[in-house]
């Protein structure tokens, strides 16, 4: 066996500690396996569908929950309003020249000091409504039919405000809206308190597309709109970030005439039954984002903030119930700017593709704090923003 | 097996980076142990291509399981073990252990070793790589990596007798190849190399 041992020693000494030059190609191969890039390009598709699914579900939840929550509030209001409108129709409507403005004045005559700020002043308007309800009750006795109408509204129409009966009454929505806004506003502020969310690196540029459903609050009717834009996100801490940007959006919606309250003295001889609006808007959001979940590749952030709407173009088309044809449309350009007049609430699901690139889907709601546009409608949007996000300054782990 | 003990601290730092799945640390560690690990792979492989594949398989396993490494122990043996096991697995399908001597490649071997000045690393490596996987594996494990027949038998799932037999055949074959080399060398080369070869053949101590 000594012969064997010598052979062993020859090979052991010769082979044991070779000095082999490092080969970068070998490392490249291994690196590809350890940090596979192409593989991850496939994954996002699956993730995207998953995220889109989640987003769609959230959207449905948003839409379903909202009307349910509103209904109890609507019922008394609807009743009150209908009655009030009857009053208006019976009394001032025929007499007064400026129909649109005056019914309000008549209606709220006991609270004259409040009337002008009725729409914007939520608390007051609610109080006003209550008083009005009380005040209008005597009328119910005088007008049993009105009462009946009130019931109908209460039961059947509360959630579907496009009912023709309602459409004849300009005041109708004005009361409803303020109240609705009041509740929304309080909801919103609660959500704003916790500062909120986002990505890993310091400065992120996002390009986004955001299809949404736009509706005038309470109308129950939604139309598909959409927008696209650019956003920049600055990270203050690992979890907290601030986003701003600009998005061009189309807001298309239908509304009852009752919810259309332009700042004009123009009086329709016969009120249009329905208004179709098509607005071009620049939406400038300022949002605070807070990352609530941060996995290695995926993160979830909540986001809230305020948007400013710059109305580029607003076009309102009127349609009438009967044979009567009044003015067909009205167009306004660059007249209305609503600075910080819209609240944003959203949840962002983000998937990291690599250190510098990520995609995200963000179900969001835009809740009006003021009346929007020439029509002074409470225009809200619910949708999903899909965006591609790029880190602008290097990778930082 | 005592390569590069010196920079133990740096290595530990790399390892911690690897635990965090950091690319730079992985590369540093890979680079640091490349020569050592590749040396093992080349001995167990048929050729460099296979060796590179084994190397990366081994490192891949090592990186994926780096959290299981106990920092109190030396990293080198841990890595060496992984690499060796990976190499064995790589040829497991080809490991047909038999008790007969296979000498069909004999003549080829003689040709492949025609040009050299001395039995340098690459020549010895070429000889080992020319062994069949079964012989080569046992020879590597026993002669160079220092495993006992009991361990080898367990690692390869063979009997101790088979392990011994394969080692014997492997040596025999290497000897034949050396002789062939020697014959060639006699024709071409002069004393010094031949003396080394003769020393091997005559069982005198080298170096």
């Amino acid at each position: 066996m000594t012969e064997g041992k010598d052979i062993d020693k020859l090979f052991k000494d010769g082979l044991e500690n070779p000095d082999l030059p490092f080969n970068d190609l070998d490392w490249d191969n291994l690196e590809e396996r350890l940090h596979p890039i192409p593989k991850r390009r496939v994954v996002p598709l699956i993730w995207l569908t998953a995220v889109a699914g989640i987003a769609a579900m959230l959207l449905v939840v948003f839409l379903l929950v909202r009307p349910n929550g509103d209904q109890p509030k609507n019922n008394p209001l609807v009743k009150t309003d209908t009655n009030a409108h009857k009053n208006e129709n019976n009394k001032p409507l025929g007499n007064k020249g400026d129909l649109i403005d005056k019914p309000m004045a008549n209606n709220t005559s006991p609270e004259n000091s409040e009337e002008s700020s009725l729409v914007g002043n939520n608390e007051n308007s609610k109080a006003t409504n209550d008083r009005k309800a009380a005040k209008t009750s005597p009328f119910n006795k005088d007008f049993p039919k009105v009462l009946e109408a009130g019931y109908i509204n209460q039961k059947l129409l509360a959630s579907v405000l496009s009912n023709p009966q309602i459409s004849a009454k300009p005041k109708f929505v004005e009361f409803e809206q303020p109240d609705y806004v009041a509740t929304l506003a309080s909801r919103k502020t609660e959500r704003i308190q916790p500062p909120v969310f986002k990505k890993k690196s310091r400065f992120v540029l996002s390009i986004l597309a955001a299809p949404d459903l736009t509706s005038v609050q309470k109308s129950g009717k939604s139309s598909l709109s959409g927008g696209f834009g650019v956003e920049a996100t600055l990270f203050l801490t690992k979890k907290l970030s601030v986003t701003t940007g600009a998005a061009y959006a189309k807001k298309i919606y239908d509304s009852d005439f009752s919810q259309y309250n332009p700042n004009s003295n123009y009086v329709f001889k016969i009120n249009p039954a329905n208004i179709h609006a098509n607005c071009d808007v620049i939406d400038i959001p300022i949002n605070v984002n807070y990352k609530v979940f941060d996995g290695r590749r995926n993160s979830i952030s909540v986001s809230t903030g305020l948007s400013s709407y710059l109305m580029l173009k607003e076009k309102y088309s009127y349609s009438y119930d009967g044979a009567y044809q009044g003015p067909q449309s009205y167009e306004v350009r660059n007249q209305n700017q609503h600075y910080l007049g819209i609240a944003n609430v959203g949840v962002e699901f983000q998937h990291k593709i690599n250190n510098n690139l990520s995609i995200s889907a963000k179900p969001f709601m835009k809740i009006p704090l003021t009346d929007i546009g020439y029509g002074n409608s409470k225009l809200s949007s619910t949708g999903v923003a899909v965006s591609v996000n790029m880190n602008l300054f290097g990778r930082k782990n | 097996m005592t390569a590069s003990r010196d920079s133990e601290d740096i290595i530990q730092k790399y390892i911690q980076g690897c635990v965090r799945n950091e690319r730079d640390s992985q590369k540093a560690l890979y680079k640091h142990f490349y020569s050592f690990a590749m040396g093992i792979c080349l001995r167990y492989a048929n050729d460099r291509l296979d060796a590179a594949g084994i190397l990366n398989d081994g490192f891949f396993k090592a990186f994926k399981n780096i959290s299981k490494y106990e920092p109190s122990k030396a990293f080198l043996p841990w890595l060496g073990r992984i690499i060796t096991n990976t190499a064995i697995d790589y040829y497991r399908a080809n490991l047909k252990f038999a008790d007969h001597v296979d000498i069909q490649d004999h003549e080829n071997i003689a040709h492949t070793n025609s040009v050299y000045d001395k039995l340098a690393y690459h020549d010895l490596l070429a000889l080992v790589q020319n062994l069949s996987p079964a012989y080569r594996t046992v020879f590597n494990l026993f002669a160079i990596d220092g495993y006992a027949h009991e361990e080898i038998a367990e690692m390869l799932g063979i009997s101790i007798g088979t392990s011994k037999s394969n080692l014997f055949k492997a040596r025999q074959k290497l000897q034949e190849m050396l002789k062939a080399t020697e014959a060639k060398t006699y024709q071409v080369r002069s004393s010094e190399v031949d003396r080394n070869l003769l020393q091997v053949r005559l069982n005198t101590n080298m170096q």
Side-chain angles (χ1 to χ4, degrees), chain B residues 162-179:
Chain B
T162 306
S163 174
K164 284 179 177 170
S165 161
N166 275 271
L167 176 67
F168 178 76
K169 303 282 164 50
R171 281 172 177 157
Q172 201 173 29
K173 192 140 195 221
L174 286 170
Q175 195 80 348
E176 286 168 17
M177 288 191 272
L178 282 170
K179 264 184 209 162

PDB file of all heavy atoms in Angstrom, chain B residues 162-179:
ATOM      1  N   THR B 162     -16.300  -1.948  -1.496  1.00  0.00           N
ATOM      2  CA  THR B 162     -16.350  -1.316  -2.817  1.00  0.00           C
ATOM      3  C   THR B 162     -15.524  -0.044  -2.828  1.00  0.00           C
ATOM      4  O   THR B 162     -14.820   0.261  -3.804  1.00  0.00           O
ATOM      5  CB  THR B 162     -17.798  -0.979  -3.200  1.00  0.00           C
ATOM      6  OG1 THR B 162     -18.590  -2.150  -3.087  1.00  0.00           O
ATOM      7  CG2 THR B 162     -17.890  -0.435  -4.611  1.00  0.00           C
ATOM      8  N   SER B 163     -15.601   0.688  -1.741  1.00  0.00           N
ATOM      9  CA  SER B 163     -14.826   1.915  -1.648  1.00  0.00           C
ATOM     10  C   SER B 163     -13.336   1.611  -1.754  1.00  0.00           C
ATOM     11  O   SER B 163     -12.606   2.233  -2.530  1.00  0.00           O
ATOM     12  CB  SER B 163     -15.147   2.609  -0.312  1.00  0.00           C
ATOM     13  OG  SER B 163     -14.310   3.728  -0.142  1.00  0.00           O
ATOM     14  N   LYS B 164     -12.916   0.612  -1.006  1.00  0.00           N
ATOM     15  CA  LYS B 164     -11.489   0.243  -1.039  1.00  0.00           C
ATOM     16  C   LYS B 164     -11.091  -0.223  -2.427  1.00  0.00           C
ATOM     17  O   LYS B 164     -10.043   0.149  -2.958  1.00  0.00           O
ATOM     18  CB  LYS B 164     -11.219  -0.869  -0.018  1.00  0.00           C
ATOM     19  CG  LYS B 164     -11.182  -0.344   1.415  1.00  0.00           C
ATOM     20  CD  LYS B 164     -10.925  -1.486   2.388  1.00  0.00           C
ATOM     21  CE  LYS B 164     -10.818  -0.944   3.817  1.00  0.00           C
ATOM     22  NZ  LYS B 164     -10.794  -2.024   4.823  1.00  0.00           N
ATOM     23  N   SER B 165     -11.943  -1.039  -2.972  1.00  0.00           N
ATOM     24  CA  SER B 165     -11.661  -1.579  -4.297  1.00  0.00           C
ATOM     25  C   SER B 165     -11.549  -0.467  -5.332  1.00  0.00           C
ATOM     26  O   SER B 165     -10.619  -0.451  -6.147  1.00  0.00           O
ATOM     27  CB  SER B 165     -12.772  -2.555  -4.676  1.00  0.00           C
ATOM     28  OG  SER B 165     -12.789  -2.754  -6.073  1.00  0.00           O
ATOM     29  N   ASN B 166     -12.470   0.484  -5.256  1.00  0.00           N
ATOM     30  CA  ASN B 166     -12.434   1.580  -6.227  1.00  0.00           C
ATOM     31  C   ASN B 166     -11.204   2.458  -6.041  1.00  0.00           C
ATOM     32  O   ASN B 166     -10.629   2.938  -7.014  1.00  0.00           O
ATOM     33  CB  ASN B 166     -13.701   2.429  -6.110  1.00  0.00           C
ATOM     34  CG  ASN B 166     -14.845   1.852  -6.923  1.00  0.00           C
ATOM     35  OD1 ASN B 166     -15.009   2.161  -8.100  1.00  0.00           O
ATOM     36  ND2 ASN B 166     -15.625   0.972  -6.307  1.00  0.00           N
ATOM     37  N   LEU B 167     -10.817   2.634  -4.812  1.00  0.00           N
ATOM     38  CA  LEU B 167      -9.610   3.414  -4.557  1.00  0.00           C
ATOM     39  C   LEU B 167      -8.400   2.713  -5.168  1.00  0.00           C
ATOM     40  O   LEU B 167      -7.574   3.339  -5.847  1.00  0.00           O
ATOM     41  CB  LEU B 167      -9.408   3.576  -3.049  1.00  0.00           C
ATOM     42  CG  LEU B 167      -8.123   4.290  -2.657  1.00  0.00           C
ATOM     43  CD1 LEU B 167      -8.159   5.745  -3.099  1.00  0.00           C
ATOM     44  CD2 LEU B 167      -7.875   4.201  -1.153  1.00  0.00           C
ATOM     45  N   PHE B 168      -8.390   1.418  -4.972  1.00  0.00           N
ATOM     46  CA  PHE B 168      -7.269   0.650  -5.498  1.00  0.00           C
ATOM     47  C   PHE B 168      -7.215   0.750  -7.030  1.00  0.00           C
ATOM     48  O   PHE B 168      -6.164   0.994  -7.627  1.00  0.00           O
ATOM     49  CB  PHE B 168      -7.415  -0.823  -5.064  1.00  0.00           C
ATOM     50  CG  PHE B 168      -6.342  -1.699  -5.597  1.00  0.00           C
ATOM     51  CD1 PHE B 168      -5.060  -1.667  -5.042  1.00  0.00           C
ATOM     52  CD2 PHE B 168      -6.584  -2.565  -6.663  1.00  0.00           C
ATOM     53  CE1 PHE B 168      -4.059  -2.480  -5.551  1.00  0.00           C
ATOM     54  CE2 PHE B 168      -5.577  -3.366  -7.167  1.00  0.00           C
ATOM     55  CZ  PHE B 168      -4.314  -3.337  -6.619  1.00  0.00           C
ATOM     56  N   LYS B 169      -8.364   0.598  -7.634  1.00  0.00           N
ATOM     57  CA  LYS B 169      -8.415   0.663  -9.096  1.00  0.00           C
ATOM     58  C   LYS B 169      -8.054   2.059  -9.591  1.00  0.00           C
ATOM     59  O   LYS B 169      -7.384   2.197 -10.618  1.00  0.00           O
ATOM     60  CB  LYS B 169      -9.824   0.301  -9.587  1.00  0.00           C
ATOM     61  CG  LYS B 169     -10.302  -1.051  -9.142  1.00  0.00           C
ATOM     62  CD  LYS B 169      -9.685  -2.143  -9.981  1.00  0.00           C
ATOM     63  CE  LYS B 169      -9.814  -3.529  -9.324  1.00  0.00           C
ATOM     64  NZ  LYS B 169     -11.156  -3.881  -8.877  1.00  0.00           N
ATOM     65  N   ALA B 170      -8.487   3.037  -8.833  1.00  0.00           N
ATOM     66  CA  ALA B 170      -8.182   4.405  -9.235  1.00  0.00           C
ATOM     67  C   ALA B 170      -6.681   4.638  -9.210  1.00  0.00           C
ATOM     68  O   ALA B 170      -6.096   5.179 -10.153  1.00  0.00           O
ATOM     69  CB  ALA B 170      -8.878   5.394  -8.300  1.00  0.00           C
ATOM     70  N   ARG B 171      -6.046   4.172  -8.155  1.00  0.00           N
ATOM     71  CA  ARG B 171      -4.587   4.321  -8.057  1.00  0.00           C
ATOM     72  C   ARG B 171      -3.895   3.588  -9.199  1.00  0.00           C
ATOM     73  O   ARG B 171      -2.962   4.099  -9.817  1.00  0.00           O
ATOM     74  CB  ARG B 171      -4.096   3.747  -6.735  1.00  0.00           C
ATOM     75  CG  ARG B 171      -4.310   4.677  -5.550  1.00  0.00           C
ATOM     76  CD  ARG B 171      -3.953   3.911  -4.303  1.00  0.00           C
ATOM     77  NE  ARG B 171      -4.051   4.709  -3.098  1.00  0.00           N
ATOM     78  CZ  ARG B 171      -4.228   4.173  -1.887  1.00  0.00           C
ATOM     79  NH1 ARG B 171      -4.345   2.861  -1.761  1.00  0.00           N
ATOM     80  NH2 ARG B 171      -4.289   4.947  -0.828  1.00  0.00           N
ATOM     81  N   GLN B 172      -4.394   2.397  -9.420  1.00  0.00           N
ATOM     82  CA  GLN B 172      -3.804   1.577 -10.477  1.00  0.00           C
ATOM     83  C   GLN B 172      -3.873   2.306 -11.819  1.00  0.00           C
ATOM     84  O   GLN B 172      -2.909   2.375 -12.572  1.00  0.00           O
ATOM     85  CB  GLN B 172      -4.594   0.265 -10.554  1.00  0.00           C
ATOM     86  CG  GLN B 172      -3.850  -0.856 -11.206  1.00  0.00           C
ATOM     87  CD  GLN B 172      -4.630  -2.162 -11.079  1.00  0.00           C
ATOM     88  OE1 GLN B 172      -5.860  -2.170 -11.000  1.00  0.00           O
ATOM     89  NE2 GLN B 172      -3.906  -3.267 -11.037  1.00  0.00           N
ATOM     90  N   LYS B 173      -4.997   2.865 -12.020  1.00  0.00           N
ATOM     91  CA  LYS B 173      -5.201   3.539 -13.291  1.00  0.00           C
ATOM     92  C   LYS B 173      -4.328   4.783 -13.394  1.00  0.00           C
ATOM     93  O   LYS B 173      -3.729   5.059 -14.450  1.00  0.00           O
ATOM     94  CB  LYS B 173      -6.685   3.930 -13.418  1.00  0.00           C
ATOM     95  CG  LYS B 173      -7.044   4.357 -14.790  1.00  0.00           C
ATOM     96  CD  LYS B 173      -8.401   3.833 -15.206  1.00  0.00           C
ATOM     97  CE  LYS B 173      -8.513   4.004 -16.706  1.00  0.00           C
ATOM     98  NZ  LYS B 173      -9.811   4.459 -17.160  1.00  0.00           N
ATOM     99  N   LEU B 174      -4.272   5.521 -12.316  1.00  0.00           N
ATOM    100  CA  LEU B 174      -3.413   6.706 -12.308  1.00  0.00           C
ATOM    101  C   LEU B 174      -1.960   6.304 -12.566  1.00  0.00           C
ATOM    102  O   LEU B 174      -1.226   6.964 -13.306  1.00  0.00           O
ATOM    103  CB  LEU B 174      -3.525   7.432 -10.964  1.00  0.00           C
ATOM    104  CG  LEU B 174      -4.829   8.210 -10.739  1.00  0.00           C
ATOM    105  CD1 LEU B 174      -4.930   8.670  -9.295  1.00  0.00           C
ATOM    106  CD2 LEU B 174      -4.916   9.408 -11.680  1.00  0.00           C
ATOM    107  N   GLN B 175      -1.596   5.222 -11.962  1.00  0.00           N
ATOM    108  CA  GLN B 175      -0.233   4.727 -12.141  1.00  0.00           C
ATOM    109  C   GLN B 175       0.040   4.422 -13.608  1.00  0.00           C
ATOM    110  O   GLN B 175       1.080   4.803 -14.149  1.00  0.00           O
ATOM    111  CB  GLN B 175      -0.069   3.451 -11.291  1.00  0.00           C
ATOM    112  CG  GLN B 175       1.355   3.022 -11.085  1.00  0.00           C
ATOM    113  CD  GLN B 175       2.019   3.855  -9.973  1.00  0.00           C
ATOM    114  OE1 GLN B 175       1.483   4.869  -9.541  1.00  0.00           O
ATOM    115  NE2 GLN B 175       3.193   3.440  -9.549  1.00  0.00           N
ATOM    116  N   GLU B 176      -0.917   3.773 -14.215  1.00  0.00           N
ATOM    117  CA  GLU B 176      -0.754   3.459 -15.636  1.00  0.00           C
ATOM    118  C   GLU B 176      -0.622   4.727 -16.454  1.00  0.00           C
ATOM    119  O   GLU B 176       0.210   4.826 -17.361  1.00  0.00           O
ATOM    120  CB  GLU B 176      -1.960   2.655 -16.127  1.00  0.00           C
ATOM    121  CG  GLU B 176      -1.960   1.219 -15.656  1.00  0.00           C
ATOM    122  CD  GLU B 176      -3.313   0.570 -15.920  1.00  0.00           C
ATOM    123  OE1 GLU B 176      -4.073   1.124 -16.734  1.00  0.00           O
ATOM    124  OE2 GLU B 176      -3.612  -0.466 -15.302  1.00  0.00           O
ATOM    125  N   MET B 177      -1.436   5.671 -16.115  1.00  0.00           N
ATOM    126  CA  MET B 177      -1.392   6.925 -16.872  1.00  0.00           C
ATOM    127  C   MET B 177      -0.055   7.626 -16.661  1.00  0.00           C
ATOM    128  O   MET B 177       0.517   8.188 -17.588  1.00  0.00           O
ATOM    129  CB  MET B 177      -2.544   7.837 -16.449  1.00  0.00           C
ATOM    130  CG  MET B 177      -3.884   7.360 -16.936  1.00  0.00           C
ATOM    131  SD  MET B 177      -5.184   8.584 -16.705  1.00  0.00           S
ATOM    132  CE  MET B 177      -5.724   8.201 -15.070  1.00  0.00           C
ATOM    133  N   LEU B 178       0.417   7.553 -15.439  1.00  0.00           N
ATOM    134  CA  LEU B 178       1.728   8.158 -15.165  1.00  0.00           C
ATOM    135  C   LEU B 178       2.823   7.477 -15.973  1.00  0.00           C
ATOM    136  O   LEU B 178       3.719   8.122 -16.510  1.00  0.00           O
ATOM    137  CB  LEU B 178       2.044   8.078 -13.671  1.00  0.00           C
ATOM    138  CG  LEU B 178       1.354   9.105 -12.783  1.00  0.00           C
ATOM    139  CD1 LEU B 178       1.552   8.752 -11.318  1.00  0.00           C
ATOM    140  CD2 LEU B 178       1.886  10.497 -13.063  1.00  0.00           C
ATOM    141  N   LYS B 179       2.707   6.179 -16.033  1.00  0.00           N
ATOM    142  CA  LYS B 179       3.697   5.421 -16.802  1.00  0.00           C
ATOM    143  C   LYS B 179       3.674   5.834 -18.264  1.00  0.00           C
ATOM    144  O   LYS B 179       4.715   6.044 -18.887  1.00  0.00           O
ATOM    145  CB  LYS B 179       3.409   3.922 -16.692  1.00  0.00           C
ATOM    146  CG  LYS B 179       4.224   3.234 -15.628  1.00  0.00           C
ATOM    147  CD  LYS B 179       3.916   1.728 -15.682  1.00  0.00           C
ATOM    148  CE  LYS B 179       4.098   1.112 -14.286  1.00  0.00           C
ATOM    149  NZ  LYS B 179       3.410  -0.198 -14.212  1.00  0.00           N
TER     150      LYS B 179
END
